[in-house]
C-alpha cells in the first residue's frame, strides 16, 4: 500500500489528558468555591453551578457574592493597600516573581482546569493561555522592580475592581492583576460566572506565594456581583467583556472619579492580498477564527479577500476546515473544543440561522452532541450585512471580497469596532502602507493572534480604551504623584455701559478656519472687574459643535508629519509673541489682574515646548520573546474637544491646543465662559499661522450648555474636561454613546501626561525569518 494511502486512511487515536488531579483539587475544596478575601477562602455556598461545557456535568458549586460580601472584599483591599505600596517596587517584584514560579509549578493543573471549565482544547490552554499568563507575572515583576527608577513620578491608584470574561479566564486575570500589583495597587477581581475555577487555584497560589492578606481578593458570582463591584468604593474599574456591559459600566462610573479602562468587543478584519502566501494565510485563519472556538475578542472574524484569489482561497480554506477535529477538549489531538455554555451556543445558532445572505458552509467533520458548533464559513456577504458588522463570538467566519488596497482599507474600517486587524501580503511595502491606515489597536502582518506581556493590547472606537501590557499598560494602573487640584470656579463680572473702543469689535466663533457667527444668533456681554463692557462673545450651541466637529473630521491633520506640526506650532508661537502687549492688555482687562504679560509669555513657551515634542514623542520597538518585532506606534486619538479652564484664559486654551496638535489631533476648544475674549482674539493668530481649516475650532458661551452635547457627540473621540468635576460628570454621563475617552487634564508642566492623553498605542506585529 502506498504511503500516501496510509496517510489518507489512517485514523486519529485519542490522546486524553488526565483530569483526576483537577477533580481532586475541587474535591479538596468540598466541591464548593467561594470568595477569597483577606488571604483566605471564605465559607462557600452552592448558589450557582459550574459545569464542564463539553459534558454538561457539574464541576463545583459556587457562591453568588452579595453586595455586602463585595464591600467586605473591597474593605480588605483598602486596608492592605498602603502597606503594599509602601513595601516598595523591589519587595513587590519578589512576590510577583514567586507567583510566576508557582504558576509554572502548577501549570498542568491550571491548564487541565481551564479546559474542563471553559471547554477550550488542552493544546491551547497548555501551550498558550497558561504560559502567557505566567509570562505576565514575570514581566511585571520586572516593572515592579523598575518602578522607583523608571516611573519615579507615578504612584498607585489604590484599590482596583477588575471584571473579566470567560474566554481566557486565567490569562485575563494575569493581564489585570500583574500590572495592578506591580504598581502598588490592591485588587478585587470578579471572574466570569461560567469560568471561575483557575482564579480559585490562583487564589491558592497567592497564599503560597506570600501575597499579603488583602492584596488580592476574588469575588465569585454573576453580573450582579460585577455591578456591585462597579458601585463599590474602588479607585478604578478595569473591565473586559461585551461592549453593552462596558457601556453600562461607563455610565455607572460617570462622575464617580473612578478611573476606567474598557477592553470590549471586536469584528476584526483579516485581509488577504492577491500576492499573499495562500497556504500560510489559510493556516493563519485557522488560528484567527477557530482558536478558542472563535470566542476571542480580537478573532479575525471578517475575511476580506482579494477578488482575484477568492475562489481558490475559499476552496483551500474549506478543505482545511474539513480536517479540523472537534471534540473532547481534554483530548490532545483535538483542534476545536466546546462552546463555553449552551446559552452562548444558542446565540451563535440564532445569529447564523437569522442570516439569509451569502452561502453558508459548515465543516464536513463529525460534530459531537452537546455544546459544540462546527467551524463555519459564510461567503458572498456585503460589508453592511449584519453578520459582517455584529460580533458572533463563535467559530463562524464571514467573508467578502475587495479589488484594490484602498477598498480593502475602506471595508476593514467600516465597523464600529477597532480592536485588531490582520493582513497578509508578501509585499512589505504594501503591508507597511496598509497597517497604519487600519483603525485598530493591534495589527498583525503575516501572522495572527500574537500576544506578549511586553506589547500593549487594546482597542479604539467601540472596542474600548486603555492598553494592557507593556509600559503603556502601566499608565492605567498608576497616576502622577502630585494630585491635580480642582480648578477654581470663576463668577463672571457684571456691569453695564458702552465699550471703550470707538469702533465696535465683533468677536466671532472660529469654525473650519473661518470666523463664524453663532448659529443661535445670540451673544453675551463680557464685563471687566469694574463693570466696564469689554465686548460681546458669541454663544455657541449644539449646531456650532456639529459644524466644528465636521470640520475636524475633514481636516486630515492626523496624516501630517511631526516636522510639519512643529513648524506650525512654532509659527503660532512667533505670531503670539509679536502680539504680547495686545493679549496682555486683554487678559488684564478681563481678569483685573496684572499677570497678563506673564501669561502670554507662558503660552508662547507652551507652544515652543509642544513644537519641540512634535517630532520627538516616539513609539518603541518592543522586546518580545519570538522572532518578531512589535512596533508600538503612537497614533493620535482623533477628534478632541476641550472644556478649557477659567484660571488662565489664554494659557488654559493654548495648552490643550498645543498638546493636541503636537500629537496629530484636531481640537474644538470651548473657551473660558467668564473670560472668552482672549480666545476670540486668538483666532486671528490661528488665521495668520497656516493652521489648516478645521484643525482648531474655538467656541464660546456657557460651558454647561455645551458639555452634554460634547459628551453625546458620536464624531468626537475624546473630551478633555479641564474646567472641573461638575462638567466632567455631565460629559461622562453621555460618553458611552460611542465609548468616548474622558480625561481631566494634568499639571501644566506634566508634558508626558498631556502627550499620552493625545495618543494611543497601536501595536504592529511583524514576524521575521523564512
Ligand atoms: P459580559 O460582558 O456580560 O461579561 C463580562 C464580565 O462582566 C463577566 O464577568 C460578567 O459576569 C460581568 N458582568 C455582566 N454584567 C455586568 C454588569 N452589569 N456590571 C458589571 N459586570 C457585569 O459578557 P458575557 O459573558 O455575557 O458574553 C456576552 C457577549 O459578550 C458574548 O457573546 C460576546 O459577544 C461578548 N464578549 C466579549 C468579550 C471580549 O473580550 N471582548 C469577552 C466575553 C464576551 P458574569 O459572567 O458572571 O455574568
Amino acid at each position: 500500500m502506498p504511503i500516501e494511502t496510509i496517510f489518507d486512511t489512517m485514523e486519529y487515536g485519542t490522546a486524553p489528558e488526565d483530569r483526576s488531579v483537577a477533580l481532586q483539587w475541587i474535591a479538596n475544596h468540598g466541591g464548593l468555591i467561594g470568595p477569597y478575601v483577606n488571604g483566605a477562602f471564605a465559607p462557600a455556598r452552592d448558589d450557582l453551578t459550574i459545569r464542564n461545557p463539553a459534558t454538561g456535568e457539574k464541576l463545583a458549586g459556587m457562591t453568588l457574592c452579595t453586595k455586602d460580601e463585595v464591600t467586605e472584599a473591597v474593605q480588605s483591599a483598602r486596608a492592605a493597600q498602603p502597606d503594599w505600596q509602601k513595601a516598595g517596587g523591589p519587595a513587590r517584584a519578589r512576590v510577583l516573581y514567586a507567583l510566576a514560579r508557582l504558576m509554572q509549578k502548577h501549570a498542568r493543573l491550571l491548564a487541565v482546569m481551564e479546559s474542563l471549565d471553559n471547554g477550550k482544547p488542552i493544546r491551547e490552554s497548555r501551550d498558550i493561555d497558561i504560559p502567557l499568563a505566567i509570562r505576565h507575572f514575570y514581566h511585571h515583576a520586572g516593572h515592579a522592580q523598575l518602578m522607583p527608577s523608571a516611573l519615579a513620578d507615578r504612584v498607585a491608584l489604590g484599590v482596583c475592581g477588575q471584571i473579566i470574561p470567560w474566554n481566557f479566564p486565567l490569562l485575563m486575570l494575569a493581564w489585570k492583576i500583574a500590572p495592578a500589583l506591580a504598581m502598588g495597587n490592591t485588587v478585587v477581581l470578579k471572574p466570569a460566572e461560567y469560568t471561575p475555577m483557575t482564579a480559585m487555584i490562583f487564589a491558592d497560589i497567592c497564599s503560597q506565594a506570600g501575597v499579603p492578606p488583602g492584596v488580592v481578593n476574588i469575588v465569585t458570582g454573576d453580573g450582579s456581583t460585577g455591578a456591585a463591584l462597579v458601585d463599590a468604593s474602588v479607585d478604578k474599574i478595569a473591565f473586559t467583556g461585551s461592549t453593552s456591559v462596558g457601556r453600562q459600566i461607563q455610565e455607572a462610573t460617570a462622575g464617580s472619579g473612578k478611573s476606567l479602562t474598557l477592553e470590549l468587543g471586536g469584528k476584526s478584519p483579516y485581509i488577504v492580498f492577491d500576492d499573499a502566501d495562500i497556504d500560510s494565510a489559510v493556516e493563519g485563519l485557522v488560528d484567527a477564527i477557530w482558536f478558542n472556538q472563535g470566542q476571542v475578542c480580537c478573532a479575525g472574524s471578517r475575511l476580506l479577500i482579494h477578488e482575484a484569489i477568492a475562489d481558490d482561497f475559499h476552496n483551500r480554506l474549506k478543505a482545511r476546515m474539513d480536517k479540523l477535529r472537534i471534540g473532547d477538549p481534554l483530548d490532545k489531538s483535538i483542534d476545536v473544543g466546546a462552546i463555553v455554555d449552551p446559552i452562548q451556543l444558542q446565540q451563535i445558532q440564532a445569529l447564523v440561522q437569522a442570516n439569509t445572505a451569502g452561502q453558508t458552509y459548515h465543516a464536513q467533520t463529525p460534530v459531537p452532541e452537546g455544546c459544540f458548533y462546527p467551524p463555519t464559513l459564510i461567503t458572498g456577504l456585503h460589508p453592511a450585512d449584519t453578520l459582517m458588522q455584529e460580533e458572533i463570538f463563535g467559530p463562524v467566519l464571514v467573508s467578502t471580497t475587495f479589488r484594490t488596497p484602498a477598498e480593502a482599507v475602506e471595508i476593514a474600517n467600516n465597523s464600529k469596532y477597532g480592536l485588531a486587524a490582520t493582513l497578509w501580503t508578501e509585499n512589505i511595502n504594501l503591508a507597511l502602507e496598509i497597517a497604519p491606515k487600519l483603525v485598530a489597536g493591534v495589527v498583525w502582518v503575516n501572522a495572527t493572534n500574537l500576544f506578549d506581556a511586553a506589547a500593549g493590547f487594546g482597542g479604539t472606537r467601540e472596542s474600548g480604551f486603555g492598553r494592557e501590557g507593556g509600559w503603556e499598560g502601566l499608565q492605567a494602573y498608576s497616576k502622577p504623584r502630585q494630585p491635580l487640584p480642582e480648578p477654581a470656579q470663576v463668577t463672571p463680572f457684571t456691569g453695564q455701559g458702552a465699550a471703550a473702543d470707538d469702533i465696535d469689535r465683533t468677536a466671532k466663533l472660529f469654525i473650519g478656519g473661518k470666523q463664524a457667527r453663532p448659529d443661535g444668533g445670540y451673544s453675551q456681554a463680557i464685563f471687566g472687574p469694574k463693570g466696564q463692557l469689554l465686548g460681546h462673545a458669541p454663544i455657541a450651541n449644539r449646531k456650532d459643535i456639529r459644524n466644528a466637529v465636521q470640520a475636524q473630521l475633514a481636516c486630515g491633520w492626523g496624516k501630517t508629519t511631526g516636522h510639519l506640526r512643529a513648524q506650525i506650532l512654532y509659527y503660532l508661537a512667533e505670531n503670539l509673541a509679536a502680539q504680547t502687549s495686545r493679549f496682555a492688555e486683554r487678559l488684564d482687562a478681563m481678569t483685573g489682574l496684572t499677570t497678563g504679560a506673564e501669561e502670554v509669555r507662558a503660552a508662547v513657551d507652551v507652544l515652543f515646548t509642544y513644537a519641540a515634542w512634535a517630532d520627538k514623542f516616539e513609539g518603541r520597538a518592543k522586546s518580545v520573546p519570538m522572532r518578531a518585532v512589535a512596533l508600538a506606534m503612537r497614533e493620535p486619538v482623533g477628534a478632541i474637544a476641550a472644556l478649557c479652564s477659567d484660571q488662565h484664559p489664554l494659557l488654559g486654551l493654548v495648552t490643550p491646543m498645543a498638546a493636541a496638535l503636537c500629537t496629530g489631533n484636531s481640537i474644538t476648544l470651548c473657551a473660558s465662559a467668564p473670560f472668552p475674549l482672549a480666545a476670540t482674539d486668538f483666532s486671528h493668530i490661528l488665521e495668520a499661522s497656516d493652521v489648516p481649516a478645521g484643525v482648531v475650532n474655538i467656541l464660546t458661551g456657557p460651558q454647561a450648555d455645551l458639555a452634554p452635547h460634547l459628551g453625546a457627540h458620536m464624531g468626537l473621540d475624546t473630551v478633555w474636561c479641564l474646567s472641573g468635576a461638575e462638567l466632567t460628570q455631565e460629559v461622562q454621563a453621555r460618553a458611552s454613546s460611542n465609548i468616548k475617552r474622558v480625561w481631566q487634564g494634568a499639571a501644566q508642566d506634566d508634558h508626558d501626561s498631556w502627550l499620552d492623553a493625545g495618543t494611543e498605542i497601536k501595536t504592529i506585529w511583524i514576524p521575521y525569518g523564512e
Side-chain angles (χ1 to χ4, degrees):
M1 188 188 285
I3 290 177
E4 199 183 340
T5 315
I6 295 175
F7 272 118
D8 281 348
T9 53
M10 221 167 28
E11 279 297 309
Y12 280 96
T14 55
E17 175 75 35
D18 181 12
R19 66 190 67 196
S20 60
V21 179
L23 296 179
Q24 188 59 50
W25 188 94
I26 298 171
N28 292 347
H29 286 73
L32 290 179
I33 58 167
Y36 175 81
V37 175
N38 208 22
F41 285 104
R45 299 186 296 271
D46 198 1
D47 299 330
L48 299 168
T49 298
I50 309 304
R51 292 186 189 282
N52 173 351
T55 60
E57 73 200 0
K58 179 174 178 175
L59 282 177
M62 179 174 80
T63 309
L64 170 60
C65 282
T66 60
K67 207 172 172 53
D68 288 347
E69 284 166 322
V70 171
T71 305
E72 200 182 313
V74 171
Q75 283 166 349
S76 143
R78 179 70 64 200
Q81 201 272 329
D83 283 349
W84 179 243
Q85 179 160 349
K86 263 188 245 136
R92 294 196 297 273
R94 305 298 184 271
V95 174
L96 286 161
Y97 180 73
L99 282 170
R101 284 304 227 194
L102 279 157
M103 286 167 77
Q104 224 161 13
K105 283 176 206 165
H106 299 298
R108 202 58 163 226
L109 168 64
L110 287 164
V112 173
M113 190 69 95
E114 201 73 301
S115 286
L116 276 175
D117 196 16
N118 166 282
K120 62 175 68 200
I122 182 76
R123 232 165 22 91
E124 293 178 7
S125 51
R126 183 196 59 195
D127 299 344
I128 298 171
D129 291 51
I130 309 306
L132 260 177
I134 295 166
R135 160 94 179 125
H136 263 77
F137 281 95
Y138 276 125
H139 181 78
H140 285 91
H143 278 307
Q145 180 75 22
L146 297 179
M147 187 181 183
S149 54
L151 297 167
D153 291 337
R154 296 189 74 84
V155 292
L157 292 171
V159 176
C160 300
Q162 306 183 313
I163 300 170
I164 56 172
W166 42 257
N167 51 351
F168 292 92
L170 189 75
L171 186 54
M172 290 299 110
L173 173 150
W175 281 25
K176 298 261 179 300
I177 291 188
L181 262 48
M183 294 294 101
N185 304 280
T186 55
V187 303
V188 178
L189 176 125
K190 194 206 88 70
E193 175 187 350
Y194 297 153
T195 56
M197 299 306 299
T198 46
M200 293 294 117
I201 301 179
F202 179 79
D204 228 354
I205 288 177
C206 285
S207 296
Q208 296 167 38
V211 177
V215 169
V216 172
N217 304 275
I218 296 175
V219 287
T220 52
D222 62 11
S224 66
T225 313
L229 184 54
V230 170
D231 285 345
S233 170
V234 293
D235 302 296
K236 177 194 171 79
I237 292 290
F239 172 79
T240 299
S242 59
T243 297
S244 60
V245 174
R247 190 167 268 133
Q248 284 172 34
I249 291 177
Q250 194 172 20
E251 282 159 18
T253 54
S256 66
K258 289 173 193 166
S259 155
L260 180 65
T261 41
L262 298 173
E263 201 268 273
L264 309 175
K267 188 79 185 176
S268 300
Y270 188 100
I271 309 168
V272 184
F273 289 97
D274 55 351
D275 64 351
D277 171 347
I278 295 186
D279 288 330
S280 298
V282 167
E283 212 47 45
L285 198 44
V286 170
D287 277 342
I289 182 65
W290 293 303
F291 174 51
N292 201 21
Q293 296 69 250
Q295 303 165 128
V296 182
C297 53
C298 55
S301 53
R302 221 166 20 118
L303 171 63
L304 314 185
I305 176 100
H306 194 285
E307 200 177 83
I309 58 166
D311 289 344
D312 181 22
F313 191 91
H314 286 145
N315 288 337
R316 291 200 219 186
L317 182 61
K318 286 175 189 168
R320 182 69 181 90
M321 286 165 69
D322 293 345
K323 293 253 172 354
L324 292 171
R325 302 190 70 236
I326 312 176
D328 178 8
L330 285 185
D331 180 344
K332 287 173 217 130
S333 57
I334 281 300
D335 300 304
V336 180
I339 301 296
V340 71
D341 189 86
I343 293 178
Q344 184 66 15
L345 180 65
Q346 283 160 20
Q347 276 180 28
I348 298 166
Q349 288 166 334
L351 276 164
V352 175
Q353 276 160 16
N355 171 58
T356 51
Q359 296 80 44
T360 302
Y361 181 81
H362 296 298
Q364 303 298 297
T365 181
V367 181
E369 286 290 303
C371 222
F372 294 89
Y373 195 83
T376 298
L377 167 69
I378 307 179
T379 51
L381 291 185
H382 295 294
D385 283 332
T386 308
L387 291 192
M388 287 295 281
Q389 294 293 331
E390 296 303 324
E391 193 178 33
I392 303 173
F393 227 65
V396 182
L397 175 68
V398 294
S399 171
T400 194
T401 57
F402 66 86
R403 289 185 175 173
T404 63
E407 197 189 0
V409 170
E410 203 172 315
I411 301 173
N413 292 343
N414 177 14
S415 168
K416 63 187 172 189
Y417 297 113
L419 190 51
T422 302
L423 62 97
W424 288 79
T425 168
E426 290 297 290
N427 179 346
I428 186 73
N429 297 329
L430 179 65
L432 295 183
E433 152 129 11
I434 299 297
K437 292 181 178 165
L438 296 171
V439 180
V442 183
V443 177
W444 293 292
V445 175
N446 291 338
T448 198
N449 277 342
L450 301 180
F451 307 101
D452 183 56
F457 181 89
T460 178
R461 291 188 178 161
E462 295 192 23
S463 294
F465 47 77
R467 293 290 175 264
E468 298 191 293
W471 291 98
E472 54 271 34
L474 304 178
Q475 299 290 326
Y477 284 102
S478 60
K479 62 182 178 189
R481 189 173 289 280
Q482 292 305 329
L484 191 64
E486 171 71 10
Q489 300 303 312
V490 173
T491 311
F493 298 119
T494 51
Q496 44 187 278
D501 291 344
D502 293 342
I503 300 179
D504 185 73
R505 277 162 61 185
T506 303
K508 292 193 190 147
L509 306 175
F510 187 68
I511 297 175
K514 294 195 195 102
Q515 306 278 334
R517 289 186 194 283
D519 172 87
Y522 287 103
S523 293
Q524 70 184 110
I526 305 298
F527 296 100
K530 296 189 184 129
Q532 74 279 30
L533 182 68
L534 299 177
H536 289 89
I539 298 179
N541 66 12
R542 182 178 59 81
K543 290 188 185 163
D544 296 308
I545 292 178
R546 180 199 61 194
N547 295 343
V549 177
Q550 257 170 14
Q552 282 182 263
L553 296 178
C555 75
W557 183 249
K559 297 196 183 99
T560 55
T561 63
H563 174 73
L564 178 82
R565 297 198 292 269
Q567 299 310 299
I568 290 180
L569 286 164
Y570 282 129
Y571 199 15
L572 280 163
E574 183 187 323
N575 287 330
L576 178 61
Q579 306 258 351
T580 301
S581 55
R582 182 180 148 215
F583 273 88
E585 268 173 42
R586 184 65 118 175
L587 289 167
D588 291 347
M590 282 194 301
T591 61
L593 304 172
T594 54
T595 51
E598 200 183 308
E599 186 174 336
V600 181
R601 277 194 293 277
V604 171
D605 195 51
V606 161
L607 288 164
F608 257 78
T609 301
Y610 287 109
W613 273 116
D615 59 356
K616 296 174 194 65
F617 194 55
E618 291 150 345
R620 290 172 187 247
K622 295 303 183 78
S623 179
V624 290
M626 58 190 93
R627 281 152 58 88
V629 280
L631 300 177
M633 310 289 290
R634 287 197 177 271
E635 290 204 334
V637 291
I640 300 177
L643 294 163
C644 301
S645 92
D646 296 337
Q647 235 119 47
H648 301 287
L650 180 66
L651 189 59
L653 181 96
V654 168
T655 302
M657 184 204 74
L661 263 55
C662 160
T663 41
N665 302 283
S666 60
I667 190 161
T668 289
L669 297 154
C670 301
S672 157
F675 307 135
L677 298 177
T680 53
D681 290 349
F682 190 75
S683 58
H684 299 292
I685 303 285
L686 291 166
E687 282 176 322
S689 307
D690 292 344
V691 179
V695 175
V696 180
N697 306 282
I698 297 180
L699 306 181
T700 53
Q703 289 189 353
D705 295 344
L706 300 176
H709 301 301
L710 296 180
H713 200 294
M714 298 292 278
L716 285 170
D717 299 294
T718 299
V719 181
W720 289 355
C721 298
L722 313 172
S723 60
E726 206 176 310
L727 293 189
T728 305
Q729 181 165 357
E730 281 289 321
V731 173
Q732 282 177 334
R734 291 160 181 81
S736 68
S737 58
N738 62 339
I739 315 285
K740 209 178 262 102
R741 295 148 179 73
V742 180
W743 184 63
Q744 285 166 271
Q748 178 69 31
D749 57 356
D750 182 1
H751 304 130
D752 281 352
S753 292
W754 284 96
L755 294 167
D756 276 334
T759 50
E760 191 73 276
I761 294 286
K762 174 191 264 182
T763 307
I764 302 181
W765 287 81
I766 311 166
Y768 50 77
E770 280 290 315

